[in-house]
Amino acid sequence: MSEYDVELDTSGLNCPLPVLKARKSLSTMETGQRLHLIATDAGAKMDIPAFVKMTGNVLIETSEHDGKLHFVLEKGQA
Amino acid sequence: MAKKLAIIASKGTLDGGYPPFILASTAAALGFEVKIFFTFYGLQLLTKELSLKVSPLGNPAMPMPVPVPSIIQIIPGLEWFATWMMKRKLKQKGVASIEQLREICLESDVELIACQMTYDLFDFKPDDMIEGINFGGAATFLEFAGDADVTLYM
């Protein structure tokens, strides 16, 4: 797992909450800081990359273990 | 320039209320400028005390624990039961409530527009509605929808 500055666990929450909570966390962070997002919503696998692509943030890492999805996002230029 | 999403929300049921608020809140998170135009039964989604229901009547796709013939579905209490069941399931699965999604929409500057004509038609009062909404008509919607990237009728 890459290093990160902030962790956000959305386990148990469903669409669209993981995306909405990720956006909220990123909005409090500085450019270049990294967010570790944990999700159990199967849709997040497709939705988080789409969210990242449209908002100018960067998806550093995606992995899946213990039945949970893990993403490391880097905040892009606001 | 930000992309634009224009939605017409015309349904006032529990299941009909989710799609406009889910798409609007998500679009706002993706940087879209969003406006939802609430008309006819969709106006129910803007009331302070939401009492949205879902009915198996006339909706053969709704899963029920046991098959319920249409003739039985008219008995009082069945709609209440179906709504209770759906709300419980939504909660169990970690789906946000309509109230929560509506609040997120307002926080993220989604413009909620009540259709003036149907508001008057159904005798709504200013006090029935939540704060922070605007009013408009067909031209108000079309002005925005005319150069929106995505336009949806729900």
Side-chain angles (χ1 to χ4, degrees):
Chain A
M1 173 71 58
S2 316
E3 293 199 359
Y4 54 85
D5 304 284
V6 179
E7 184 171 272
L8 173 66
D9 190 350
T10 67
S11 297
L13 299 179
N14 239 311
C15 173
L17 291 174
V19 166
L20 300 182
K21 289 189 179 283
R23 188 205 63 97
K24 203 163 190 178
S25 286
L26 285 166
S27 70
T28 64
M29 292 165 56
E30 306 286 335
T31 302
Q33 280 193 310
R34 291 182 176 188
L35 173 70
H36 174 207
L37 173 70
I38 305 164
T40 52
D41 169 20
K45 209 172 186 169
M46 289 73 77
D47 272 8
I48 295 298
F51 159 71
V52 165
K53 195 175 149 194
M54 291 198 63
T55 48
N57 299 298
V58 188
L59 185 56
I60 302 293
E61 195 184 314
T62 310
S63 61
E64 196 170 348
H65 45 90
D66 303 330
K68 293 189 179 191
L69 297 162
H70 296 261
F71 304 91
V72 178
L73 316 182
E74 186 173 291
K75 177 156 179 168
Q77 297 286 350
Chain B
M1 238 206 18
K3 284 185 182 283
K4 292 182 181 179
L5 168 64
I7 297 175
I8 294 182
S10 67
K11 296 192 179 77
T13 54
L14 181 62
D15 49 334
Y18 270 96
F21 286 129
I22 289 182
L23 284 172
S25 56
T26 305
L30 297 179
F32 281 61
E33 186 188 341
V34 189
K35 297 192 186 193
I36 314 178
F37 186 77
F38 296 84
T39 187
F40 277 85
Y41 314 109
L43 284 173
Q44 292 293 344
L45 304 176
L46 294 179
T47 55
K48 276 182 193 158
E49 300 296 329
L50 290 178
S51 57
L52 308 179
K53 296 181 186 70
V54 60
S55 175
L57 194 60
N59 181 7
M62 184 171 173
M64 294 293 281
V66 288
V68 185
S70 294
I71 191 77
I72 308 293
Q73 289 175 14
I74 59 167
I75 59 169
L78 203 84
E79 189 181 78
W80 177 88
F81 174 70
T83 301
W84 174 81
M85 211 175 62
M86 179 74 92
K87 282 190 174 167
R88 194 183 57 159
K89 203 163 189 64
L90 287 163
K91 205 167 182 178
Q92 277 171 354
K93 301 265 182 181
V95 179
S97 68
I98 301 254
E99 286 87 343
Q100 246 180 312
L101 291 168
R102 184 172 73 176
E103 193 53 43
I104 294 170
C105 282
L106 283 168
E107 280 170 12
S108 40
D109 292 328
V110 171
E111 190 179 337
L112 308 179
I113 306 167
C115 164
Q116 184 74 55
M117 185 275 278
T118 40
Y119 175 88
D120 293 339
L121 180 70
F122 294 135
D123 294 316
F124 279 110
K125 303 279 172 291
D127 208 38
D128 298 330
M129 301 310 207
I130 53 166
E131 305 273 319
I133 63 169
N134 294 326
F135 287 84
T140 316
F141 175 77
L142 288 169
E143 185 194 5
F144 180 72
D147 60 2
D149 300 272
V150 183
T151 307
L152 299 169
Y153 177 81
M154 294 178 168

